[in-house]
Every structure is written in C-alpha cells, then in structure tokens.
Amino acid sequence: MQSEENDMVILTDRNALRAWVAQQRSSGHTLGFVPTMGALHAGHLHLVDQSRAHTDRTVVSIFVNPTQFGPGEDFDRYPRIPDQDQRLLRQGGCHALFYPDVATIYPEGFQTTVRVEPLGSDLCGRERPGHFQGVATVVTVLLNLVKADKAFFGLKDYQQFVIIRQLVRDLSMDVAIEGVPTVREEDGLAMSSRNRYLSIEDRRRATAISAGLAAARTAFMAGEREAGRLEAIARRIMVEAGIHRIQYISVRSASTLLPMKTIDSEGVILTAVKVGSTRLIDNMLLM
Ligand code: AMP
C-alpha cells in the first residue's frame, strides 16, 4: 500500500517500504530514520530536523510496539492521533512515514527476541522487566527494514539510546546511531507523549523532576563529585514538590551506564518517577 500527499509517502507494508528505500538508494540519496510511537511533539520533530539536516531523505516510523509494554502498562490507552501526526510530519518535511500494523512487524510465527544484557535489566529495566527486549527487538526489525545511513534517537530516553548503540555495535549493523538532546517545555519538563496524561496539579508538580536534576547538575558544575550527594540534592527537590514515588535517581557513567561513586569521567544523572498514575523519566549529562 502506498499513498502520496504533499510529497510525504505513507507506507504500511514491508514490501512498499523496501521498494521505496531501494528507489531512494538508486537515486543516490542518503537515508535518515526516526523511529517513534506517534503522538508527536516538538521533541520528535527535532529528531526529524536533525535527520533532514544530516541526510537527504527522512523516514519516520510510527508504531506503538506491544512487546515493550508490560502487563498493566498503558499500551491500550497510549495516545494514537494519526491524522495530527501525519500533518506535523508533512509540515516537518518528512519524506516517508512507515505506519505498519502489529502483524506487519510481528507476522505469525515470529520467534526472535533481541536482549541486551545486563544493560537492559538495570534502571528502567528493573521496573519494567522485558521492556528493553521489546525495544531492542522492534528497533532491530525497523533498522533492518529501513537500512538507513543514520538513525536518530532522543537522549531523553538515555538508557534506550545506550542500549541501541550497544546492539548496533554487537550485531555489526551498518547504521550510525545519533543521539539528539532533549527538547523541554518552557518550565523544563522534558517533552513526552505521556505528559498529556497529567492532571493540572501533577503537571505543576512534574516540573520538580527537571528542577531536581538541574540542581544536581549545578552542584556538579560547582565541584561536587560524589554521586550520593548529587542524587540527594535531586531527590530533596522532588520530594519537597510532592513527588514521593521515585523509582530511581542514579548517577552513572554516561558511556556505559555503570554506577559511579565519584564522578571522574563523563556522567549522567537519571531518574524515573511516578506522578499520579503517569511514569516519567528524565536525565541530565554531567560533563
Ligand atoms: P517515543 O515516541 O516516545 O518512542 O519516542 C521516539 C523518539 O523520540 C525516541 O528516540 C525518543 O527518545 C525521542 N524523544 C521523545 N521525547 C523527546 C524529547 N523531549 N526530546 C528529544 N527526543 C525525544
């Protein structure tokens, strides 16, 4: 299936995608790829901008991947707004939208799972067992289909970025993985498709997530190098704002995500919290 409007092609099956990719390749174009789950916001569109800046043709995928959601998570209620997404992508200059259904990605008889361990069981993987297997598996399928020169991932999902970089290296996949800085709301909250779940009160409270991380980063800039102290600074600000369900706040190596007691090379402070019923993550680099 293929339809074309305003220059953006919408592809829903594997063969149509492969044919379009082959056509671009034979015309000598380089390809950039931005995988998403839709409900697009300025963070996603920034990835599209980066892809357009660094490659000739940009493919965006929208696929709410069932295998990365655990039982009781928000797969069923995850926001799906395809018309608005398509409009934003057209405006953003996307060349092709890959919009498969579940059976296209996981046809009957699909058996393979990609695990990146122990990275995938740490941090968010502790709270969401199997999540990163779902992510690694779907990203592997998508990267193999699109065969892009460069694929763009947000540093907002820092652990995901590190895992994908690792899997591409381990499996010798021929694609450059580019990390794109987090786009934030004016008050600092990292943009996320899940922010729309927040009540007004919880939305206000959620600003303490980035405020806490920023305070830790300020202390780091002023010379504090003890991970435990930086984590405590961020935690205090979140708790004072009424965020009590903190799943983790952790200072790690920015390259390996291994724990660091004292920051002696590039670090990152990462957190996952629940605000109301919404799980939010954020991180800031310490370098
Ligand atoms: P998602 O649709 O949430 O799976 O995200 C798709 C891609 O957009 C991932 O690479 C995310 O890391 C990235 N992304 C999500 N939110 C942001 C943001 N606020 N800034 C930059 N990239 C983001």
Side-chain angles (χ1 to χ4, degrees):
M1 283 274 301
Q2 175 169 335
S3 59
E4 199 162 356
E5 271 180 64
N6 298 352
D7 293 327
M8 185 177 79
V9 176
I10 300 176
L11 308 156
T12 58
D13 68 58
R14 288 177 178 233
N15 288 337
L17 175 64
R18 283 208 187 90
W20 185 86
V21 165
Q23 197 185 355
Q24 302 308 316
R25 287 259 169 252
S26 66
S27 308
H29 295 310
T30 58
L31 283 183
F33 178 41
V34 179
T36 81
M37 298 205 299
L40 302 179
H41 51 65
H44 297 113
L45 296 174
H46 186 50
L47 298 181
V48 174
D49 287 344
Q50 289 301 304
S51 175
R52 281 174 50 86
H54 293 102
T55 62
D56 301 328
R57 292 286 181 273
T58 291
V59 183
V60 174
S61 64
I62 295 181
F63 180 62
V64 185
N65 175 34
T67 66
Q68 71 188 67
F69 290 80
E73 290 188 355
D74 56 347
F75 176 71
D76 288 328
R77 69 180 185 118
Y78 197 84
R80 290 164 174 88
I81 38 176
D83 293 346
Q84 181 182 311
D85 285 348
Q86 287 173 27
R87 198 173 62 246
L88 289 172
L89 289 175
R90 283 201 177 90
Q91 288 165 3
C94 167
H95 298 94
L97 167 61
F98 183 47
Y99 189 53
D101 61 14
V102 173
T104 298
I105 297 300
Y106 300 113
E108 221 183 300
F110 191 98
Q111 298 197 23
T112 301
T113 300
V114 180
R115 299 171 62 225
V116 183
E117 296 296 335
L119 253 178
S121 297
D122 199 3
L123 299 168
C124 286
R126 278 180 205 275
E127 306 294 334
R128 306 184 72 190
H131 168 69
F132 287 116
Q133 292 181 33
V135 169
T137 303
V138 78
V139 169
T140 302
V141 171
L142 291 169
L143 289 176
N144 284 335
L145 282 169
V146 178
K147 295 193 194 76
D149 299 278
K150 295 175 193 274
F152 296 82
F153 291 86
L155 296 181
K156 145 105 184 350
D157 299 274
Y158 197 81
Q159 187 178 8
Q160 170 173 285
F161 168 71
V162 174
I163 285 173
I164 288 161
R165 203 171 51 182
Q166 182 78 39
L167 94 80
V168 162
R169 195 183 300 146
D170 290 349
L171 300 181
S172 301
M173 295 170 79
D174 201 10
V175 55
I177 300 301
E178 307 287 343
V180 179
T182 303
V183 177
R184 298 178 179 280
E185 303 285 356
E186 261 174 35
D187 62 9
L189 179 67
M191 288 194 182
S192 163
S193 305
R194 290 190 169 98
N195 290 348
R196 72 190 68 217
Y197 297 152
L198 296 168
S199 67
I200 291 169
E201 174 62 15
D202 286 339
R203 170 66 185 79
R204 194 190 51 73
R205 202 171 271 145
T207 60
I209 303 167
S210 57
L213 298 181
R217 190 178 53 188
T218 302
F220 170 78
M221 297 300 213
E224 180 60 76
R225 291 292 180 271
E226 293 306 309
R229 293 210 193 108
L230 295 170
E231 290 160 5
I233 289 168
R235 181 178 297 272
R236 192 176 59 240
I237 288 174
M238 292 189 213
V239 170
E240 278 171 6
I243 298 175
H244 299 292
R245 283 174 301 157
I246 298 174
Q247 295 185 339
Y248 65 80
I249 299 177
S250 196
V251 171
R252 298 296 179 96
S253 153
S255 58
T256 63
L257 283 185
L258 289 171
M260 277 179 143
K261 269 203 155 79
T262 306
I263 304 176
D264 49 14
S265 58
E266 293 185 340
V268 58
I269 181 166
L270 309 102
T271 188
V273 304
K274 281 202 108 174
V275 183
S277 59
T278 306
R279 186 174 184 279
L280 298 174
I281 59 171
D282 199 354
N283 68 83
M284 284 185 197
L285 292 167
L286 303 172
M287 48 181 72

